[in-house]
Amino acid sequence: MVCNGSRGLRYAPFLCLLAFMVLRSFAQVDRADLSGTVTDPQGKAVPGVHVTVLQPANGISREAVTTRSGTYEVPALSVGTYSVSFVANGFATLTIDQVVQTEGRTRTLDATLRIAGANQQILVAGQTAQLDQTTDALGGRAESKQVRDLPLNGRNWSTLTALVPGAVDTGGSNQRSIRFAGRGLDDNNFVFDGIDATNIVNQAQQPFVRIAIPTDAIEEFHIETMLFTADNGSTPGAQIAVASKSGSNTFHGGVFEFLRNSVLDAREPILPVRLPFRLNQFGGDLGGPIVRDRTFYYFNYEGVRQTYGQPLLGFVPSPAFRAQVAAANPALVPVLNAYPTAALSPVAGNPDENRFSGSGRQVDHEDSAMLRLDHHFAASDTAYLRFNFDAAYSDAPVAEGGDYLNDRQLVTSRPVNGELETLHIFSPRWMNELKFGFNRGNVYTTNQGQTNIPYTVAVSGFTTLAGNQYKPGVGNSYSYIDNLTLIRGAHTLKFGVEVRRIQLNQGNTPSGTITYSSLKNFLTNSISSATYAAELPINGLRKTSVFSFVEDDWKYRSNLTLNLGVRYIFFNLFHEVNGKAIPFDFATCGPAGFCAAGASFGQPNTLDIDPRLSVTWAPHALHGKTIVRSGFGIYHGDGQLDDQNLPISNEVGQYSLSSKTTPGLSYPVTPFLNGPGTVSARDDDRRRKDMYVTQWGASAQQALPHDFVGTLSYVGSKGTHLLTTSYVNLIDPATGLRTYPAFGQVQWRGNVNNSAYDAFVGSLQRSFSNGLLFSANYTYSHEIDQDSAGGGDSDYPQNPACLPCERASGDFDVRQVLSANVVYELPFGHGKSFFSQPGFASAVLGGWSVTNIVAARSGLPINVTEDRSSTSVATGYTTNQRPNIVPGVSLIPAGGKTVATWINPAAFTPVTGSGYGDAPRNIARGPNLWQADLGLARRIPLTERVQLQFRSEFFNLFNRAQYGLPQADSSSSSFGQIVTTVNTSPVGTGTPRQIQFMLRLEF
């Protein structure tokens, strides 16, 4: 780490001091701890017991000795299955097999020794039911059995993240459609073997990037949605930690292919015909020893080839109206020509508008590979090197407000992730883990609009036309992580620091917007508002952040554990490497608005201190089968990095025009640029504070018969200093002038919003054993905010002068969510309860398994809006305007909610004055969603070590129509109609019924 005062690193000395003060550190999220208490038959603690933890797959063993109170701790174990032996003088040796260590968790394994003669051994199986006796974190895990066997539509491992408590899948089952516990999308954090695995610019990968981490390369993953401890979390949202597979002393591997064809699928519910679809997903893996018990390798490759005739549904000018506009304003002919002219049908009550129904080709290609090498230098020193590369490509129609025309978008992404990790054990009570990691997220986006102009064109009542634009974006993160664990009696002390260097390289071609507030204004070429931004050359943004913690797992009594920790975070601010960026802020740069080129983006926050506390208690009277837990914590976040780059936009000309201040505004808009009061820079609050979330909760966990574990939880949180997007320098209704007349309407970004979340959660879990895995979660929750749930999720307000007026149920507030999944191996055939002997029945009935996923949720909120011209609003501001409500009129149509009329249009009336509408934000609710997926598989042994597996999977088994939200623009003749499904992609939750086949050869 370089510690100097070079340009843009003015805080480098501070960072280095912090790093060396907490030199040994950071969360061991890709490892697991094992602890417990050893007692004699009378329940008294047994000190001095020699504990040996052996991982048979690779021969690694770890040792510990119980303390005077009979406790032991073995930290930083690799994820996997172990055999644990307890040896003490005067007692029979006890060995517990099949002890599964899961990622990011401390497993409690208590042991009772029997008094016996010399050399007597007792062998028992490990407990399947695992109670969490160390933290009150809300979350869950996906075992390798779930990752490998559950029916995943598109084989995107992120689909499984929707199956944990507190998760909400809005449709699509990818990283950009799943949110957790009332937090924003960019509050989620993804790590792979403890290394940053986000998309850098945004936390989530692109929707078409499904296997940046190959699905078969995942050993398991763990998600903590709330109340995670101080050793975890660089964001306030869900912490998604994935662990990779590694090689072992046994050669293992396989090849597979998944096949889909639309011939076997049901049609989209909104279309009269079935659209073509082809999907091939294929790959293989191989792992084994290079040097037995010393060096191992694991390699994986997966590929995707997918084509789909995506439905296109939108609203366009009728031929008659098109002819009228062309005759009245020939300048608009290029815009008119961009609307489809075929596959049109009339819209009742509006002769100027037609409904377009067509299909467009969607193409997705992806290739992903991973290599991992493990080496054991000695019993006290191990290391591994891992490298991932993914190349993904998408060519698909552009979505505009949920509708599609003929505009297209080409996107490529090539995520890269690599890591070097070493673990040194100084003694059974002192060990250190060191990591170096690299992560790259890059996205190159090309919008191909039919207009061939850089402007998106929005006409009230019609589907928006996309503009042409090319936008490259590359993000890199370099991580140095050091972990130290010390065991002192009943205390397990952990110290941590991560120093992360972040690079963003971004730019774009010219872009702009043109808005017509009515069909009449389009006919007369009277633009309501327009924006334009010149071409932005590639910029280089850099910053260095630090995450650190101190934590104490204190086993105060054998049945009472306190987890006490504090986390310190320094997020820092970006700077542009060549000093080109120009901050703009009326509050700190003065009336001129612009600061000097190269000026600081603001003042970084240096006091992000997050205390964390949890208490777990296992009452003796309940024999250790009941755990009562409670927790509290503060969690700071940096939000979306793409929300911190506004100063680079001010290097080039940006303009904002409206008919209220620019008389005669019409297309083309170029002659009106550079007029008085049209300059519109992007204002980033240089006094912004880092967002933080306060969380609290309590839960009770109970071990149930047949290895089930039930949990009841209450959790709550309050978000403070959340992302806020708005506008300043609006027209003063009293004077008709702007505060700063040289500028137009200026986009503003800060952190003044807040949110609240409360939830009751029930879950029932059974880890895989004896052929059965079961998991079910139910969440009843309510999230309230004022236009922002957190990082990356923020709406513009109806009235920028009244942000509290936006307070309502959040955009992703789903009151009820239920998810369940099952893996069940039928009890027939070799090694099973029935027909275990060779024979006809065993051959026919053996090897079958059934898997199932059920997901259900209540509807998403609907924000009803209306189109208004800038001249009709006193401030000239027209974004997200809402109508007035009609008192006493129900939102539900007289005949009930239908696809044709989901919202009662009579419940709203247009605003007639120059003020704002009185309809609350998110006033209505969309359709509920539920579906069931089923898998049926058969394993056929070919030899002792080689087997063939055939699997059939049925997605949305009952073919329930999964409708999207209705048209919410009350100015449109299609208001209240549902014209799309919840998921316009052919993979993920919300598709019509689809059938998939898989063939796998493995050894």
Side-chain angles (χ1 to χ4, degrees):
M1 177 179 177
V2 179
C3 298
N4 58 49
S6 61
R7 184 187 181 104
L9 288 176
R10 66 188 66 183
Y11 293 94
F14 168 76
L15 299 179
C16 292
L17 176 62
L18 178 63
F20 288 112
M21 284 175 61
V22 204
L23 181 60
R24 308 287 186 186
S25 84
F26 211 68
Q28 297 168 348
V29 295
D30 61 322
R31 292 186 175 271
D33 297 347
L34 180 67
S35 66
T37 303
V38 181
T39 58
D40 63 17
Q42 285 74 43
K44 296 181 179 180
V46 182
V49 179
H50 190 80
V51 183
T52 302
V53 182
L54 172 67
Q55 191 171 19
N58 53 29
I60 292 180
S61 65
R62 296 274 299 278
E63 297 180 351
V65 177
T66 58
T67 65
R68 286 180 299 176
S69 58
T71 62
Y72 72 95
E73 176 91 14
V74 185
L77 293 171
S78 299
V79 173
T81 302
Y82 290 81
S83 175
V84 184
S85 297
F86 301 86
V87 180
N89 291 330
F91 295 92
T93 297
L94 173 65
T95 300
I96 303 178
D97 283 337
Q98 299 299 311
V99 177
V100 179
Q101 289 297 107
T102 61
E103 184 176 28
R105 283 299 180 100
T106 297
R107 174 166 182 161
T108 300
L109 184 67
D110 296 332
T112 300
L113 302 184
R114 298 180 185 177
I115 298 174
N119 300 322
Q120 184 176 352
Q121 282 192 318
I122 300 172
L123 181 66
V124 299
Q127 297 173 332
T128 301
Q130 296 185 35
L131 302 177
D132 187 349
Q133 299 185 40
T134 57
T135 76
D136 190 35
L138 178 70
R141 61 184 275 256
E143 304 177 20
S144 58
K145 195 71 174 174
Q146 292 167 289
V147 175
R148 194 174 182 86
D149 290 353
L150 284 176
L152 304 180
N153 193 341
R155 277 185 56 78
N156 186 343
W157 65 268
S158 300
T159 301
L160 295 173
T161 65
L163 303 180
V164 303
V168 173
D169 184 1
T170 58
S173 303
N174 56 68
Q175 290 186 15
R176 299 200 172 202
S177 72
I178 300 172
R179 290 164 173 78
F180 301 88
R183 300 265 47 86
L185 185 61
D186 284 276
D187 292 336
N188 299 336
N189 185 47
F190 298 86
V191 295
F192 189 27
D193 291 329
I195 294 297
D196 174 35
T198 66
N199 193 41
I200 312 294
V201 176
N202 315 103
Q203 295 293 100
Q205 298 286 354
Q206 295 290 318
F208 64 90
V209 178
R210 308 206 290 258
I211 50 176
I213 301 175
T215 306
D216 272 6
I218 297 174
E219 178 67 28
E220 69 168 39
F221 64 85
H222 180 255
I223 302 173
E224 293 186 330
T225 54
M226 290 183 67
L227 292 170
F228 34 92
T229 53
D231 63 346
N232 197 7
S234 57
T235 66
Q239 306 300 302
I240 299 101
V242 183
S244 63
K245 287 183 178 178
S246 61
S248 67
N249 280 323
T250 303
F251 286 102
H252 56 87
V255 292
F256 69 88
E257 178 160 11
F258 288 79
L259 174 66
R260 303 251 297 270
N261 191 302
S262 54
V263 172
L264 302 173
D265 297 343
R267 66 172 177 84
E268 292 278 354
I270 56 176
L271 294 177
V273 296
R274 183 172 52 206
L275 298 177
F277 176 49
R278 303 289 186 275
L279 171 63
N280 295 85
Q281 290 186 258
F282 47 88
D285 62 350
L286 182 64
I290 298 175
V291 178
R292 186 173 180 82
D293 288 336
R294 298 276 291 180
T295 309
F296 311 91
Y297 72 92
Y298 177 80
F299 174 77
N300 180 283
Y301 163 79
E302 295 188 26
V304 176
R305 301 294 183 269
Q306 175 181 303
T307 59
Y308 175 52
Q310 179 177 328
L312 305 179
L313 297 168
F315 297 90
V316 302
S318 66
F321 185 68
R322 182 193 302 265
Q324 282 184 277
V325 175
N329 289 283
L332 290 175
V333 169
V335 175
L336 292 168
N337 290 340
Y339 290 107
T341 57
L344 307 182
S345 59
V347 173
N350 189 348
D352 297 333
E353 183 179 346
N354 277 180
R355 177 171 173 167
F356 166 66
S357 179
S359 65
R361 190 166 182 258
Q362 183 188 107
V363 179
D364 287 348
H365 284 186
E366 188 171 8
D367 294 282
S368 177
M370 187 196 89
L371 175 66
R372 173 167 167 159
L373 301 173
D374 289 75
H375 184 68
H376 306 159
F377 295 95
S380 59
D381 288 284
T382 61
Y384 70 81
L385 175 69
R386 178 188 51 75
F387 179 77
N388 283 68
F389 174 79
D390 183 52
Y393 166 85
S394 172
D395 180 1
V398 176
E400 294 290 350
D403 297 342
Y404 295 84
L405 298 180
N406 289 326
D407 301 323
R408 300 192 65 79
Q409 184 178 76
L410 281 70
V411 188
T412 60
S413 181
R414 292 174 175 259
V416 177
N417 192 277
E419 172 187 11
L420 172 63
E421 188 242 39
T422 66
L423 177 69
H424 178 69
I425 302 172
F426 295 95
S427 74
R429 300 182 180 276
W430 178 23
M431 59 205 62
N432 185 75
E433 180 187 42
L434 178 65
K435 293 175 181 283
F436 296 95
F438 170 73
N439 183 42
R440 168 169 289 182
N442 49 36
V443 179
Y444 301 89
T445 304
T446 303
N447 286 339
Q448 299 175 324
Q450 297 295 304
T451 60
N452 289 316
I453 60 176
Y455 297 92
T456 62
V457 181
V459 180
S460 178
F462 299 155
T463 299
T464 298
L465 296 168
N468 283 358
Q469 188 183 37
Y470 173 65
K471 189 174 182 180
V474 178
N476 298 319
S477 71
Y478 302 84
S479 298
Y480 163 83
I481 301 174
D482 206 349
N483 302 323
L484 178 68
T485 302
L486 296 173
I487 301 173
R488 291 289 184 268
H491 298 267
T492 299
L493 303 172
K494 300 179 182 180
F495 307 89
V497 70
E498 175 181 5
V499 179
R500 186 183 299 178
R501 180 68 170 170
I502 299 173
Q503 303 172 338
L504 288 185
N505 300 318
Q506 298 175 292
N508 54 260
T509 58
S511 63
T513 63
I514 294 172
T515 303
Y516 294 91
S517 61
S518 66
L519 298 185
K520 177 181 178 181
N521 288 344
F522 185 50
L523 178 62
T524 60
N525 194 12
S526 300
I527 293 177
S528 173
S529 61
T531 64
Y532 178 76
E535 180 173 355
L536 177 65
I538 298 292
N539 275 253
L541 295 177
R542 307 288 186 267
K543 72 173 181 176
T544 302
S545 299
V546 175
F547 311 89
S548 61
F549 74 91
V550 177
E551 180 179 295
D552 181 9
D553 271 321
W554 181 15
K555 205 168 187 64
Y556 181 73
R557 293 179 180 171
S558 61
N559 67 335
L560 180 63
T561 301
L562 285 76
N563 183 284
L564 310 171
V566 63
R567 189 174 184 86
Y568 175 79
I569 303 176
F570 178 68
F571 287 116
N572 212 342
L573 300 178
F574 278 119
H575 68 278
E576 207 283 321
V577 289
N578 296 311
K580 297 187 298 182
I582 304 174
F584 183 98
D585 187 19
F586 289 122
T588 61
C589 299
F594 293 100
C595 288
S600 170
F601 286 19
Q603 292 298 317
N605 295 278
T606 58
L607 294 176
D608 291 352
I609 300 173
D610 296 348
R612 314 265 174 94
L613 165 67
S614 65
V615 180
T616 60
W617 176 47
H620 285 309
L622 300 176
H623 310 291
K625 293 186 176 182
T626 302
I627 309 295
V628 180
R629 309 178 303 189
S630 182
F632 170 85
I634 296 177
Y635 303 81
H636 275 85
D638 203 20
Q640 184 185 111
L641 296 184
D642 201 33
D643 286 328
Q644 302 173 27
N645 60 3
L646 294 192
I648 66 174
S649 304
N650 299 323
E651 299 170 21
V652 299
Q654 298 205 59
Y655 307 93
S656 176
L657 306 93
S658 74
S659 57
K660 193 175 185 72
T661 55
T662 306
L665 182 61
S666 60
Y667 181 82
V669 300
T670 304
F672 299 94
L673 301 179
N674 288 314
T678 61
V679 175
S680 180
R682 304 182 76 186
D683 188 338
D684 197 5
D685 185 3
R686 299 173 75 226
R687 299 172 298 184
R688 64 180 288 272
K689 297 180 179 180
D690 292 332
M691 66 172 290
Y692 70 91
V693 179
T694 306
Q695 300 180 4
W696 56 89
S699 64
Q701 193 172 64
Q702 177 69 46
L704 301 171
H706 306 294
D707 294 330
F708 282 89
V709 174
T711 308
L712 293 176
S713 306
Y714 161 75
V715 290
S717 69
K718 180 184 183 300
T720 306
H721 299 316
L722 303 184
L723 172 67
T724 308
T725 53
S726 186
Y727 284 88
V728 296
N729 203 39
L730 306 183
I731 295 172
D732 185 342
T735 64
L737 301 173
R738 301 188 189 276
T739 304
Y740 302 96
F743 298 94
Q745 184 173 280
V746 173
Q747 186 184 94
W748 182 86
R749 189 171 292 168
N751 293 70
V752 297
N753 277 333
N754 59 76
S755 70
Y757 176 81
D758 291 279
F760 292 94
V761 180
S763 67
L764 183 64
Q765 310 291 329
R766 186 187 196 272
S767 294
F768 184 77
S769 67
N770 298 322
L772 176 64
L773 178 148
F774 180 86
S775 174
N777 301 287
Y778 171 77
T779 303
Y780 180 82
S781 65
H782 191 196
E783 191 270 328
I784 301 173
D785 61 46
Q786 53 183 48
D787 268 337
S788 176
D793 286 332
S794 180
D795 294 331
Y796 289 95
Q798 174 181 243
N799 179 6
C802 186
L803 295 181
C805 297
E806 300 296 296
R807 191 166 181 83
S809 296
D811 293 349
F812 304 100
D813 170 53
V814 174
R815 298 296 176 87
Q816 299 188 73
V817 179
L818 172 68
S819 66
N821 63 92
V822 176
V823 177
Y824 180 49
E825 295 180 349
L826 299 186
F828 308 116
H830 177 69
K832 299 296 183 179
S833 300
F834 304 99
F835 307 120
S836 59
Q837 298 302 316
F840 178 79
S842 177
V844 174
L845 300 177
W848 288 95
S849 63
V850 178
T851 57
N852 174 240
I853 295 178
V854 176
R857 65 163 173 81
S858 55
L860 288 163
I862 303 168
N863 190 34
V864 176
T865 62
E866 72 169 1
D867 298 328
R868 300 180 66 184
S869 68
S870 58
T871 56
S872 69
V873 183
T875 61
Y877 172 79
T878 60
T879 302
N880 282 343
Q881 296 302 297
R882 298 190 289 269
N884 286 326
I885 56 175
V886 179
V889 178
S890 173
L891 296 177
I892 301 175
K897 295 180 179 180
T898 65
V899 173
T901 312
W902 191 264
I903 304 174
N904 183 10
F908 302 93
T909 184
V911 177
T912 55
S914 61
Y916 297 102
D918 60 15
R921 171 174 161 256
N922 290 340
I923 190 174
R925 289 275 169 174
N928 299 337
L929 182 149
W930 74 266
Q931 77 172 59
D933 303 331
L934 178 69
L936 182 64
R938 172 84 190 280
R939 293 183 182 272
I940 305 171
L942 301 181
T943 69
E944 185 177 347
R945 293 199 60 223
V946 180
Q947 62 180 353
L948 186 69
Q949 183 188 30
F950 175 78
R951 189 158 81 214
S952 300
E953 296 178 330
F954 305 84
F955 305 112
N956 194 3
L957 178 65
F958 301 106
N959 197 31
R960 183 180 186 274
Q962 312 288 5
Y963 292 113
L965 296 180
Q967 300 286 298
D969 184 355
S970 61
S971 302
S972 171
S973 57
S974 61
F975 172 59
Q977 299 177 21
I978 296 178
V979 299
T980 62
T981 54
V982 71
N983 180 12
T984 57
S985 164
V987 296
T989 304
T991 65
R993 183 178 58 240
Q994 298 171 325
I995 300 176
Q996 175 169 275
F997 299 113
M998 183 275 284
L999 190 66
R1000 183 193 299 271
L1001 180 69
E1002 57 188 16
F1003 62 91

PDB file of all heavy atoms in Angstrom, residues 451-467:
ATOM      1  N   THR A 451     -35.245   6.535 -34.339  1.00  0.00           N
ATOM      2  CA  THR A 451     -35.222   7.936 -34.769  1.00  0.00           C
ATOM      3  C   THR A 451     -33.861   8.362 -35.299  1.00  0.00           C
ATOM      4  O   THR A 451     -33.752   9.349 -36.015  1.00  0.00           O
ATOM      5  CB  THR A 451     -35.591   8.859 -33.597  1.00  0.00           C
ATOM      6  OG1 THR A 451     -34.628   8.678 -32.536  1.00  0.00           O
ATOM      7  CG2 THR A 451     -36.990   8.569 -33.076  1.00  0.00           C
ATOM      8  N   ASN A 452     -32.806   7.629 -34.877  1.00  0.00           N
ATOM      9  CA  ASN A 452     -31.419   7.980 -35.241  1.00  0.00           C
ATOM     10  C   ASN A 452     -31.015   9.370 -34.764  1.00  0.00           C
ATOM     11  O   ASN A 452     -30.220  10.057 -35.400  1.00  0.00           O
ATOM     12  CB  ASN A 452     -31.196   7.860 -36.753  1.00  0.00           C
ATOM     13  CG  ASN A 452     -31.200   6.417 -37.201  1.00  0.00           C
ATOM     14  OD1 ASN A 452     -30.605   5.558 -36.564  1.00  0.00           O
ATOM     15  ND2 ASN A 452     -31.903   6.144 -38.302  1.00  0.00           N
ATOM     16  N   ILE A 453     -31.575   9.787 -33.645  1.00  0.00           N
ATOM     17  CA  ILE A 453     -31.193  11.044 -33.003  1.00  0.00           C
ATOM     18  C   ILE A 453     -30.826  10.733 -31.557  1.00  0.00           C
ATOM     19  O   ILE A 453     -31.214   9.684 -31.024  1.00  0.00           O
ATOM     20  CB  ILE A 453     -32.320  12.103 -33.065  1.00  0.00           C
ATOM     21  CG1 ILE A 453     -33.578  11.583 -32.345  1.00  0.00           C
ATOM     22  CG2 ILE A 453     -32.625  12.484 -34.512  1.00  0.00           C
ATOM     23  CD1 ILE A 453     -34.704  12.611 -32.266  1.00  0.00           C
ATOM     24  N   PRO A 454     -30.084  11.614 -30.895  1.00  0.00           N
ATOM     25  CA  PRO A 454     -29.671  11.322 -29.514  1.00  0.00           C
ATOM     26  C   PRO A 454     -30.754  11.554 -28.463  1.00  0.00           C
ATOM     27  O   PRO A 454     -30.495  11.384 -27.275  1.00  0.00           O
ATOM     28  CB  PRO A 454     -28.485  12.270 -29.295  1.00  0.00           C
ATOM     29  CG  PRO A 454     -28.756  13.412 -30.197  1.00  0.00           C
ATOM     30  CD  PRO A 454     -29.429  12.837 -31.409  1.00  0.00           C
ATOM     31  N   TYR A 455     -31.938  11.950 -28.880  1.00  0.00           N
ATOM     32  CA  TYR A 455     -33.005  12.283 -27.936  1.00  0.00           C
ATOM     33  C   TYR A 455     -33.986  11.115 -27.782  1.00  0.00           C
ATOM     34  O   TYR A 455     -34.373  10.482 -28.770  1.00  0.00           O
ATOM     35  CB  TYR A 455     -33.797  13.498 -28.411  1.00  0.00           C
ATOM     36  CG  TYR A 455     -33.013  14.775 -28.505  1.00  0.00           C
ATOM     37  CD1 TYR A 455     -32.387  15.134 -29.701  1.00  0.00           C
ATOM     38  CD2 TYR A 455     -32.903  15.623 -27.414  1.00  0.00           C
ATOM     39  CE1 TYR A 455     -31.671  16.315 -29.797  1.00  0.00           C
ATOM     40  CE2 TYR A 455     -32.192  16.808 -27.503  1.00  0.00           C
ATOM     41  CZ  TYR A 455     -31.571  17.143 -28.691  1.00  0.00           C
ATOM     42  OH  TYR A 455     -30.859  18.314 -28.782  1.00  0.00           O
ATOM     43  N   THR A 456     -34.410  10.845 -26.545  1.00  0.00           N
ATOM     44  CA  THR A 456     -35.606  10.043 -26.342  1.00  0.00           C
ATOM     45  C   THR A 456     -36.798  10.973 -26.502  1.00  0.00           C
ATOM     46  O   THR A 456     -36.765  12.123 -26.043  1.00  0.00           O
ATOM     47  CB  THR A 456     -35.636   9.393 -24.948  1.00  0.00           C
ATOM     48  OG1 THR A 456     -35.662  10.418 -23.949  1.00  0.00           O
ATOM     49  CG2 THR A 456     -34.417   8.510 -24.732  1.00  0.00           C
ATOM     50  N   VAL A 457     -37.839  10.485 -27.149  1.00  0.00           N
ATOM     51  CA  VAL A 457     -39.008  11.318 -27.445  1.00  0.00           C
ATOM     52  C   VAL A 457     -40.217  10.722 -26.743  1.00  0.00           C
ATOM     53  O   VAL A 457     -40.608   9.578 -27.026  1.00  0.00           O
ATOM     54  CB  VAL A 457     -39.252  11.409 -28.961  1.00  0.00           C
ATOM     55  CG1 VAL A 457     -40.467  12.297 -29.245  1.00  0.00           C
ATOM     56  CG2 VAL A 457     -38.017  11.962 -29.673  1.00  0.00           C
ATOM     57  N   ALA A 458     -40.795  11.484 -25.820  1.00  0.00           N
ATOM     58  CA  ALA A 458     -41.956  11.034 -25.059  1.00  0.00           C
ATOM     59  C   ALA A 458     -43.163  11.881 -25.438  1.00  0.00           C
ATOM     60  O   ALA A 458     -43.149  13.104 -25.270  1.00  0.00           O
ATOM     61  CB  ALA A 458     -41.688  11.141 -23.563  1.00  0.00           C
ATOM     62  N   VAL A 459     -44.175  11.221 -25.960  1.00  0.00           N
ATOM     63  CA  VAL A 459     -45.431  11.881 -26.317  1.00  0.00           C
ATOM     64  C   VAL A 459     -46.519  11.287 -25.439  1.00  0.00           C
ATOM     65  O   VAL A 459     -46.676  10.050 -25.394  1.00  0.00           O
ATOM     66  CB  VAL A 459     -45.768  11.681 -27.804  1.00  0.00           C
ATOM     67  CG1 VAL A 459     -47.074  12.381 -28.147  1.00  0.00           C
ATOM     68  CG2 VAL A 459     -44.637  12.174 -28.689  1.00  0.00           C
ATOM     69  N   SER A 460     -47.256  12.110 -24.738  1.00  0.00           N
ATOM     70  CA  SER A 460     -48.303  11.634 -23.839  1.00  0.00           C
ATOM     71  C   SER A 460     -49.261  10.713 -24.593  1.00  0.00           C
ATOM     72  O   SER A 460     -49.818  11.086 -25.628  1.00  0.00           O
ATOM     73  CB  SER A 460     -49.064  12.806 -23.250  1.00  0.00           C
ATOM     74  OG  SER A 460     -50.119  12.361 -22.416  1.00  0.00           O
ATOM     75  N   GLY A 461     -49.420   9.486 -24.085  1.00  0.00           N
ATOM     76  CA  GLY A 461     -50.303   8.515 -24.714  1.00  0.00           C
ATOM     77  C   GLY A 461     -49.580   7.512 -25.579  1.00  0.00           C
ATOM     78  O   GLY A 461     -50.122   6.445 -25.860  1.00  0.00           O
ATOM     79  N   PHE A 462     -48.364   7.847 -26.045  1.00  0.00           N
ATOM     80  CA  PHE A 462     -47.587   6.927 -26.879  1.00  0.00           C
ATOM     81  C   PHE A 462     -46.414   6.355 -26.084  1.00  0.00           C
ATOM     82  O   PHE A 462     -45.944   6.963 -25.119  1.00  0.00           O
ATOM     83  CB  PHE A 462     -47.037   7.628 -28.119  1.00  0.00           C
ATOM     84  CG  PHE A 462     -48.083   8.200 -29.036  1.00  0.00           C
ATOM     85  CD1 PHE A 462     -47.787   9.254 -29.885  1.00  0.00           C
ATOM     86  CD2 PHE A 462     -49.373   7.681 -29.063  1.00  0.00           C
ATOM     87  CE1 PHE A 462     -48.738   9.792 -30.729  1.00  0.00           C
ATOM     88  CE2 PHE A 462     -50.337   8.210 -29.908  1.00  0.00           C
ATOM     89  CZ  PHE A 462     -50.030   9.275 -30.741  1.00  0.00           C
ATOM     90  N   THR A 463     -45.925   5.203 -26.530  1.00  0.00           N
ATOM     91  CA  THR A 463     -44.719   4.624 -25.935  1.00  0.00           C
ATOM     92  C   THR A 463     -43.511   5.472 -26.317  1.00  0.00           C
ATOM     93  O   THR A 463     -43.384   5.915 -27.467  1.00  0.00           O
ATOM     94  CB  THR A 463     -44.527   3.180 -26.428  1.00  0.00           C
ATOM     95  OG1 THR A 463     -45.664   2.403 -26.021  1.00  0.00           O
ATOM     96  CG2 THR A 463     -43.263   2.568 -25.857  1.00  0.00           C
ATOM     97  N   THR A 464     -42.634   5.704 -25.347  1.00  0.00           N
ATOM     98  CA  THR A 464     -41.462   6.558 -25.566  1.00  0.00           C
ATOM     99  C   THR A 464     -40.507   5.928 -26.568  1.00  0.00           C
ATOM    100  O   THR A 464     -40.258   4.715 -26.545  1.00  0.00           O
ATOM    101  CB  THR A 464     -40.742   6.799 -24.236  1.00  0.00           C
ATOM    102  OG1 THR A 464     -41.628   7.482 -23.346  1.00  0.00           O
ATOM    103  CG2 THR A 464     -39.485   7.636 -24.431  1.00  0.00           C
ATOM    104  N   LEU A 465     -39.958   6.760 -27.457  1.00  0.00           N
ATOM    105  CA  LEU A 465     -38.962   6.330 -28.430  1.00  0.00           C
ATOM    106  C   LEU A 465     -37.571   6.549 -27.848  1.00  0.00           C
ATOM    107  O   LEU A 465     -37.273   7.611 -27.298  1.00  0.00           O
ATOM    108  CB  LEU A 465     -39.099   7.130 -29.728  1.00  0.00           C
ATOM    109  CG  LEU A 465     -40.409   6.948 -30.501  1.00  0.00           C
ATOM    110  CD1 LEU A 465     -40.522   8.006 -31.594  1.00  0.00           C
ATOM    111  CD2 LEU A 465     -40.491   5.549 -31.092  1.00  0.00           C
ATOM    112  N   ALA A 466     -36.717   5.538 -27.977  1.00  0.00           N
ATOM    113  CA  ALA A 466     -35.354   5.632 -27.449  1.00  0.00           C
ATOM    114  C   ALA A 466     -34.473   6.424 -28.393  1.00  0.00           C
ATOM    115  O   ALA A 466     -34.673   6.437 -29.610  1.00  0.00           O
ATOM    116  CB  ALA A 466     -34.775   4.245 -27.235  1.00  0.00           C
ATOM    117  N   GLY A 467     -33.472   7.099 -27.825  1.00  0.00           N
ATOM    118  CA  GLY A 467     -32.485   7.811 -28.613  1.00  0.00           C
ATOM    119  C   GLY A 467     -31.226   6.982 -28.795  1.00  0.00           C
ATOM    120  O   GLY A 467     -31.002   5.999 -28.089  1.00  0.00           O
TER     121      GLY A 467
END
